Amino acid sequence: MASILENNVDLSTEEVQESFHQSEQRHRIFFEHSMIGMAATSPDKECIQVNDQLCEMLGYSREELTKKTWEQITHKDDLVEQIALYNSVLNGEHDEYELDKRFIHRDGHTVYTHLASRCIRKQDGSINYFITMVEDISERKQVEEKLRESSQILQNILETTLDGFWSVDYHGNLIDVNQTYAEQSGYTREELLLMQISQLDAIQSISTIDERINTIIEQRHTQFETKHRRKDGSIWDVEISTSHYTISGGRIFVFLRDITERKSSDERLLKSEKRFRNFFEKNSSIMLLINPESGKIEEANNAAVSYYGYPKQQLIDMPINVINILQPDKLTMNIQLALHENSNYFLFSHRLSSGEIRDVEVHSTPIEIDNKTLLFSIIHDITERKQAEEKLLLAANVFTHASEGIVITSPDGAIIDINDAFSRTTGYSRDEIIGKNPRVLSSKLQEKEFYSAMWHDLIEKGHWYGELWNRRKNGESYAEMLNISSILDSQGKVQNYVGIFSDITANKEHEHQLEYIAHYDPLTGLPNRVLNSDRLRQAMTHADHRNEKIAVIYLDLDGFKQVNDRYSHSVGDNLLIALSTRMQQALREGDTLSRLGGDEFVAILLNTDDLSIALPIIQKLLDAASQVIVLDDVLLQVSASIGVTFYPQSGDVDADQLIRQADQAMYEAKQAGKNRYDVFDPEHDLTIRTRHKKLERIRQALESDEFVLYYQPKINMRTGELIGVEALIRWLHPEKGLIPPLDFLPIIENHPLSVKIGEWVINEAISQIKQWQVQGLNLAVSVNVGALQLLQGNFMERLRLILAKHENFDFSLLEIEVLETSALEDVNLASTIIEECKTMGIHFSLDDFGTGYSSLSYLKRLPVRTLKIDQSFVRDMFDNHDDLAILEGIVGLASAFSREVIAEGVETHEHGKQLLLLGCELAQGYGIARPMPSEKMIEWARQWGLYHKWIG
């Protein structure tokens, strides 16, 4: 805040440091004791300092406000206008601007304000900061438009100019001046800051000024008049008030008022009264001047004469209680409230000359006229408005007792009202739901595209009608028929959204039953031919978008006809039911098994890059089909012939063609002897050989010690502490050079070779930890462990063998990172392993958290110490509100479950600052350091230690 009243100099220069304490004193005078809100903001819109009035006005603490920009607390509909004015100042077109704007209070309600902002420039002319005055005009905004215009005219008439201000040292040097004095004197502020008092005072000598300074120092406060000389040589009269403060070697604060106008004050007063009289008489608003002592009307304008129906001569000097029917003692009390400005807004009932009673609202303010205090009252008839309010009350009763659920939201989606039917349907009481966004009801059963289309209709058409699934408070999903309409204000802007809905869950359940009959086999409960075709087309589209492969399996039972012929169709049906269950158990989650009819089945296997992945599932299907089944003491056994094809292929192919291909391959398997499979794709063998060749080369690289580990630092952004590193494998190919992990790790995924390389990484990392310890660097290292290695069944045994090779090794320096999806493949086994490692001092991190299921139940069951946020959310958090929301959710989740949280992919300081604001202190990424060889780590750590903090 040192720059608010200090010289316009660059805050980075050393000579301003001493002025900091002086500025705090001036801050208290000009800033803290202002009766309106004040703020100092930087050119990049951040709040540097705010006063108590502004904090109280907006509901924030100082600490909260100074962490925000004014954009973040501005109503979105007012941003365009203010940014345009703000940019005009940045572009040098103006030095100040004013506007009426709305702020968003901390509790969410709108605060109407009048804002005046002025830029304070540095000596080089660039903007140093902005001083902004904020007046709460919320009550005024409730008055009719004509009253606002009238009040504004009156405010302009009564407005007084600001005084000039100096800060001077004991030698008479000007340390600081305000813009008012610069404008009064004709000098620029830069010119004034190079001057002494003696160069501006037109009548006092240097010695007299020195004596005056000594007097000020002794008496602390003085007041006197003198004359100043403007830059153009003209002389003007000045009234000076001074205060002496012993800060930073002593400073004198000087307030300078131009009193030249006093010589013509009578003339100006007459002109002012004439302007007021003209304003008063010709205004269309009803206006009265009331003597608060006598309670009589001293003046009435033509609008008042017309409204009340009395002749002007009769209306003047009439006691106010003739037209105001309030009890006399209460009326007197209200007059006193207005006189002492405890309240200036009243609701009364006034009697017209005809005897008719009208409801009015009165704004009454004390003013001085002819050395006499009168109450200036502006009256507006609100009779029709009150009648409209009564109609609204009737509408409210309809709202409350309607059988359909009704919800009203603000333009930004915050719920502001509901009816009883809403609570009955959703389970949320009014207190629980008010202020929340309707997203709390989301069942997650609709895609983002659904809501995008909904909002498109709302914006373009003003309404939306349709079905969707929501969730009750108890977690139960329900279907509703929803009609949303936009409510516009007089200017055509959205004022509210109103949603009316009916619970149609019972209807949807009936529809679901009909849909089940249409899409599922009535005997086995498996998808039928229709649903199979639909799922196959979806799987093909999904594979295209994700660049994945799917396998289509056509299965025909061998020997089933003989069972039907020998034991009856009833036995055959039971056999089909039993085999369907077994074959379905042989598939993975996400795969589909359908019955086309008779003894023919089709399986769709997702994410199946080659036959090596599909083969175990195919074998399970063959085994399931050929197992002996006992039905009514009869031993039954059949087998299956399977045809396999893959998608996508080199040429275009549709779903029906895939089925035919698999059917053809099944026929080849049956011809070859049954109880076997055949692959339709002729190029599949080439794919297998290529992968085997790559796997063999990677195996040779492991045996030839061609792999190396790079290390990426992990830090605490708030303290700057280096908390550890992550070990990242690289392939130092003898011919191709350094090969990144994405070029070879996907090849060994889910292959036994990945386990060997994973164990090599653990062993190498431990050796490096011990080597760094010898060199004086005690650093924890995290290593990545794949799903196959973690869940192979003997992970702990293999880990102990590796640890046994390293004597005197501190196990707590080793951290294991596993992918969220890896741990969820077998949660029970993963949890057991993590707990066992935890007893040894080895902790786990859940890597790429947020990209998998992120289930609360899974997180509760997995005793990991750290959640590692996937870099995709961090990288895009400034561009994608969903990513930012996910980050907030993960940080909150980590806090709720007492887990550490670390962010990957921190590429800039801005990313780090935002993460700190969200509560995430730990991070790694290119913005901190790129992965580096082990030999560079010690020097990097030494250089890093020179910094006290990175961001925090």
Side-chain angles (χ1 to χ4, degrees):
M1 195 57 212
S3 65
I4 290 180
L5 300 174
E6 193 52 77
N7 294 342
N8 298 330
V9 295
D10 193 335
L11 293 176
S12 62
T13 59
E14 296 181 357
E15 67 179 296
V16 181
Q17 297 298 320
E18 182 182 356
S19 301
F20 179 77
H21 298 294
Q22 304 172 29
S23 299
E24 288 186 329
Q25 182 67 24
R26 290 196 295 275
H27 167 65
R28 287 193 291 272
I29 295 174
F30 286 100
F31 201 82
E32 294 294 351
H33 300 294
S34 174
M35 298 304 294
I36 61 175
M38 295 188 69
T41 60
S42 65
D44 58 3
K45 308 171 187 173
E46 293 182 346
C47 293
I48 303 171
Q49 181 61 286
V50 295
N51 68 355
D52 290 339
Q53 285 73 16
L54 187 59
C55 292
E56 181 179 355
M57 188 186 303
L58 301 182
Y60 291 93
S61 66
R62 286 177 184 256
E63 181 180 4
E64 291 173 326
L65 269 185
T66 53
K67 291 181 180 179
K68 293 181 176 291
T69 65
W70 54 256
E71 283 184 310
Q72 294 173 313
I73 56 176
T74 296
H75 193 285
K76 62 180 181 181
D77 291 342
D78 293 343
L79 274 175
V80 173
E81 180 181 4
Q82 185 171 5
I83 290 175
L85 292 171
Y86 172 80
N87 288 336
S88 71
V89 176
L90 289 184
N91 296 334
E93 299 173 21
H94 308 285
D95 279 348
E96 59 187 359
Y97 65 88
E98 292 188 36
L99 78 159
D100 285 353
K101 65 169 284 186
R102 290 165 288 181
F103 284 101
I104 301 303
H105 194 275
R106 190 177 188 274
D107 64 11
H109 81 263
T110 301
V111 180
Y112 290 86
T113 68
H114 180 75
L115 179 146
S117 185
R118 183 181 185 91
C119 75
I120 304 301
R121 298 184 179 277
K122 305 177 184 177
Q123 289 184 359
D124 61 5
S126 62
I127 294 177
N128 201 358
Y129 54 87
F130 286 80
I131 293 295
T132 302
M133 294 178 288
V134 183
E135 178 186 1
D136 189 337
I137 60 170
S138 297
E139 292 186 5
R140 190 187 349 144
K141 283 293 182 179
Q142 300 172 2
V143 184
E144 299 289 340
E145 181 63 25
K146 291 182 181 179
L147 176 59
R148 290 203 301 270
E149 294 174 358
S150 301
S151 298
Q152 184 61 48
I153 295 172
L154 180 61
Q155 183 65 31
N156 291 336
I157 294 173
L158 301 178
E159 184 180 3
T160 58
T161 59
L162 298 174
D163 292 338
F165 171 76
W166 289 351
S167 172
V168 299
D169 62 16
Y170 292 165
H171 302 292
N173 297 311
L174 272 65
I175 305 302
D176 195 5
V177 297
N178 68 353
Q179 186 63 27
T180 299
Y181 185 80
E183 294 172 355
Q184 290 171 339
S185 66
Y187 291 99
T188 66
R189 295 187 66 188
E190 290 73 15
E191 291 172 329
L192 289 169
L193 294 176
L194 299 174
M195 301 175 72
Q196 292 186 320
I197 297 175
S198 59
Q199 295 173 270
L200 297 169
D201 197 299
I203 61 175
Q204 295 186 100
S205 64
I206 295 177
S207 60
T208 302
I209 292 173
D210 291 341
E211 292 176 3
R212 180 79 70 180
I213 290 175
N214 291 332
T215 301
I216 293 171
I217 294 173
E218 293 174 0
Q219 298 181 1
R220 290 186 60 83
H221 302 287
T222 63
Q223 185 172 347
F224 59 92
E225 295 181 4
T226 185
K227 293 180 180 293
H228 278 190
R229 180 179 290 103
R230 296 187 178 92
K231 185 176 182 179
D232 62 7
S234 62
I235 305 300
W236 54 302
D237 295 295
V238 182
E239 180 183 76
I240 292 180
S241 298
T242 67
S243 296
H244 169 237
Y245 295 92
T246 56
I247 57 174
S248 300
R251 288 289 183 270
I252 298 173
F253 292 166
V254 183
F255 297 88
L256 308 97
R257 175 170 297 174
D258 185 352
I259 59 173
T260 307
E261 289 289 331
R262 288 183 183 174
K263 296 178 181 179
S264 57
S265 61
D266 291 341
E267 180 181 352
R268 293 205 318 275
L269 180 59
L270 289 174
K271 291 181 180 179
S272 175
E273 289 181 352
K274 183 177 180 181
R275 287 195 299 270
F276 176 76
R277 176 62 59 184
N278 187 52
F279 160 78
F280 184 82
E281 289 295 344
K282 296 183 178 180
N283 202 293
S284 60
S285 296
I286 305 164
M287 295 183 178
L288 300 175
L289 290 176
I290 301 169
N291 189 319
E293 294 182 3
S294 65
K296 293 182 177 182
I297 300 173
E298 292 213 354
E299 190 58 85
N301 69 350
N302 293 332
V305 172
S306 175
Y307 178 73
Y308 290 109
Y310 292 102
K312 190 167 187 176
Q313 296 78 3
Q314 185 178 353
L315 194 58
I316 294 175
D317 209 36
M318 176 185 290
I320 191 63
N321 59 13
V322 173
I323 60 175
N324 193 320
I325 66 174
L326 191 67
Q327 295 177 2
D329 56 339
K330 293 183 178 180
L331 180 57
T332 300
M333 180 183 67
N334 285 330
I335 290 175
Q336 292 303 311
L337 288 174
L339 180 64
H340 298 292
E341 299 188 84
N342 293 323
S343 176
N344 67 348
Y345 178 75
F346 306 92
L347 294 175
F348 293 132
S349 293
H350 280 190
R351 180 186 293 111
L352 309 185
S353 63
S354 63
E356 180 183 0
I357 304 299
R358 304 288 291 181
D359 294 310
V360 297
E361 62 179 12
V362 179
H363 295 261
S364 192
T365 304
I367 63 172
E368 293 291 327
I369 296 181
D370 296 331
N371 297 320
K372 182 165 54 175
T373 300
L374 300 177
L375 288 179
F376 175 54
S377 298
I378 302 176
I379 299 100
H380 283 276
D381 192 316
I382 61 169
T383 305
E384 285 74 20
R385 191 175 79 190
K386 288 196 67 176
Q387 292 172 351
E389 290 173 352
E390 292 173 358
K391 292 180 181 179
L392 288 176
L393 180 60
L394 176 61
N397 287 329
V398 175
F399 171 85
T400 301
H401 299 98
S403 59
E404 292 83 4
I406 304 176
V407 57
I408 303 175
T409 75
S410 60
D412 60 2
I415 295 175
I416 60 176
D417 205 1
I418 61 170
N419 68 347
D420 294 340
F422 178 99
S423 296
R424 289 194 300 270
T425 302
T426 66
Y428 286 95
S429 68
R430 179 183 177 83
D431 291 339
E432 292 172 325
I433 204 68
I434 294 299
K436 301 290 182 61
N437 191 286
R439 284 192 296 268
V440 301
L441 301 173
S442 175
S443 64
K444 311 299 183 184
L445 297 178
Q446 286 85 214
E447 300 292 336
K448 290 182 180 179
E449 292 77 9
F450 174 90
Y451 294 104
S452 297
M454 173 193 292
W455 278 105
H456 178 270
D457 283 357
L458 270 177
I459 294 171
E460 295 297 323
K461 303 177 182 178
H463 61 86
W464 180 88
Y465 179 80
E467 298 178 5
L468 75 159
W469 284 88
N470 271 342
R471 183 180 58 192
R472 308 185 206 275
K473 179 182 176 182
N474 62 8
E476 174 187 354
S477 295
Y478 69 98
E480 68 179 36
M481 182 65 71
L482 174 63
N483 189 335
I484 307 176
S485 299
S486 303
I487 306 300
L488 306 181
D489 61 17
S490 59
Q491 297 178 347
K493 293 184 178 180
V494 174
Q495 180 176 335
N496 296 104
Y497 291 107
V498 177
I500 303 175
F501 64 92
S502 300
D503 189 339
I504 59 170
T505 308
N507 295 342
K508 298 301 292 185
E509 289 175 351
H510 181 64
E511 291 177 7
H512 179 72
Q513 292 173 358
L514 295 178
E515 183 179 357
Y516 184 88
I517 295 172
H519 292 91
Y520 288 87
D521 175 48
L523 177 64
T524 62
L526 295 175
N528 61 13
R529 184 184 297 271
V530 175
L531 185 54
N532 176 75
S533 297
D534 180 67
R535 290 192 177 178
L536 180 53
R537 281 190 288 269
Q538 291 183 26
M540 293 167 67
T541 301
H542 184 82
D544 290 336
H545 288 168
R546 297 204 173 186
N547 197 26
E548 296 174 350
K549 282 190 174 183
I550 62 172
V552 179
I553 295 175
Y554 200 104
L555 185 149
D556 184 86
L557 297 178
D558 305 320
F560 179 75
K561 183 177 183 300
Q562 289 80 353
V563 173
N564 268 344
D565 293 343
R566 182 175 180 180
Y567 297 105
S568 79
H569 286 281
S570 175
V571 173
D573 288 346
N574 290 332
L575 177 60
L576 286 175
I577 294 171
L579 290 177
S580 297
T581 301
R582 291 186 178 180
M583 289 190 295
Q584 198 167 22
Q585 292 171 349
L587 300 182
R588 304 165 303 177
E589 183 178 356
D591 296 337
T592 297
L593 178 66
S594 304
R595 182 186 177 214
L596 302 187
D599 59 353
E600 296 178 335
F601 298 83
V602 169
I604 304 170
L605 309 184
L606 303 179
N607 195 18
T608 310
D609 290 339
D610 53 42
L611 185 60
S612 63
I613 297 176
L615 187 57
I617 302 172
I618 295 171
Q619 188 59 52
K620 288 181 180 179
L621 287 172
L622 291 172
D623 293 341
S626 62
Q627 289 181 8
V628 175
I629 295 179
V630 180
L631 293 175
D632 298 329
D633 298 327
V634 176
L635 299 180
L636 301 175
Q637 185 175 23
V638 295
S639 61
S641 296
I642 289 177
V644 185
T645 189
F646 291 87
Y647 178 88
Q649 300 175 5
S650 56
D652 293 336
V653 62
D654 60 23
D656 291 336
Q657 287 175 299
L658 287 176
I659 296 294
R660 288 195 296 271
Q661 290 175 0
D663 186 15
Q664 181 179 339
M666 181 276 296
Y667 178 79
E668 294 296 329
K670 196 175 284 286
Q671 291 295 105
K674 303 180 182 180
N675 193 24
R676 65 192 64 211
Y677 72 92
D678 186 79
V679 179
F680 175 81
D681 188 356
E683 300 177 355
H684 196 64
D685 287 342
L686 178 61
T687 301
I688 294 177
R689 289 195 299 271
T690 301
R691 182 169 185 259
H692 285 170
K693 184 177 180 181
K694 291 180 179 179
L695 287 171
E696 184 58 30
R697 180 61 187 91
I698 295 173
R699 192 192 316 276
Q700 293 175 6
L702 180 62
E703 294 172 355
S704 302
D705 202 25
E706 294 177 8
F707 292 109
V708 294
L709 290 184
Y710 272 45
Y711 299 89
Q712 185 174 40
K714 299 186 286 188
I715 67 162
N716 185 310
M717 295 184 291
R718 192 172 300 282
T719 65
E721 177 187 2
L722 174 62
I723 63 170
V725 295
E726 181 180 2
L728 301 168
I729 192 170
R730 301 289 188 269
W731 184 356
L732 190 57
H733 196 284
E735 298 172 358
K736 299 179 181 179
L738 197 65
I739 298 177
L742 285 179
D743 287 355
F744 61 93
L745 287 184
I747 299 172
I748 65 173
E749 187 175 0
N750 295 323
H751 190 277
L753 184 57
S754 66
V755 177
K756 293 184 179 180
I757 291 180
E759 292 179 351
W760 176 88
V761 170
I762 296 174
N763 185 71
E764 187 71 13
I766 295 174
S767 298
Q768 186 59 61
I769 292 171
K770 297 178 69 177
Q771 184 177 343
W772 278 336
Q773 287 178 326
V774 173
Q775 296 172 306
L777 181 63
N778 196 39
L779 201 58
V781 176
S782 60
V783 298
N784 293 279
V785 171
L788 185 61
Q789 181 180 0
L790 180 70
L791 304 176
Q792 62 184 329
N794 62 343
F795 174 80
M796 291 306 303
E797 177 183 351
R798 300 292 301 171
L799 178 62
R800 288 190 177 92
L801 288 175
I802 296 173
L803 295 173
K805 299 177 183 178
H806 300 275
E807 297 182 358
N808 302 321
F809 173 62
D810 183 356
F811 294 170
S812 65
L813 294 178
L814 178 65
E815 184 181 33
I816 295 175
E817 295 187 12
V818 294
L819 290 175
E820 178 187 4
T821 50
S822 299
L824 298 183
E825 288 185 16
D826 190 337
V827 176
N828 293 330
L829 178 56
S831 177
T832 301
I833 292 172
I834 294 171
E835 284 287 1
E836 193 168 353
C837 286
K838 189 175 179 181
T839 63
M840 300 167 61
I842 299 173
H843 292 280
F844 272 68
S845 293
L846 208 55
D847 200 8
D848 291 353
F849 188 78
T851 60
Y853 296 100
S854 303
S855 167
L856 297 181
S857 61
Y858 287 145
L859 183 57
K860 180 180 179 182
R861 294 169 61 187
L862 293 172
V864 297
R865 179 172 65 180
T866 306
L867 304 183
K868 201 165 188 181
I869 303 174
D870 184 69
Q871 61 181 337
S872 62
F873 302 129
V874 177
R875 182 179 59 247
D876 298 333
M877 65 179 170
F878 292 121
D879 302 318
N880 190 314
H881 292 300
D882 291 340
D883 286 345
L884 183 60
I886 290 173
L887 282 173
E888 293 175 339
I890 293 175
V891 173
L893 199 61
S895 175
F897 282 88
S898 301
R899 305 288 201 272
E900 291 181 354
V901 61
I902 183 170
E904 294 182 299
V906 177
E907 297 181 354
T908 67
H909 283 202
E910 293 303 318
H911 285 95
K913 290 177 182 178
Q914 183 63 40
L915 286 166
L916 284 173
L917 289 176
L918 294 176
C920 177
E921 298 183 355
L922 310 183
Q924 69 182 93
Y926 284 4
I928 300 165
R930 291 176 176 269
M932 64 190 74
S934 59
E935 59 270 17
K936 292 186 178 181
M937 192 62 227
I938 292 180
E939 176 60 20
W940 185 92
R942 187 188 69 80
Q943 291 292 335
W944 180 262
L946 299 178
Y947 295 95
H948 296 293
K949 294 179 181 177
W950 181 60
I951 291 176

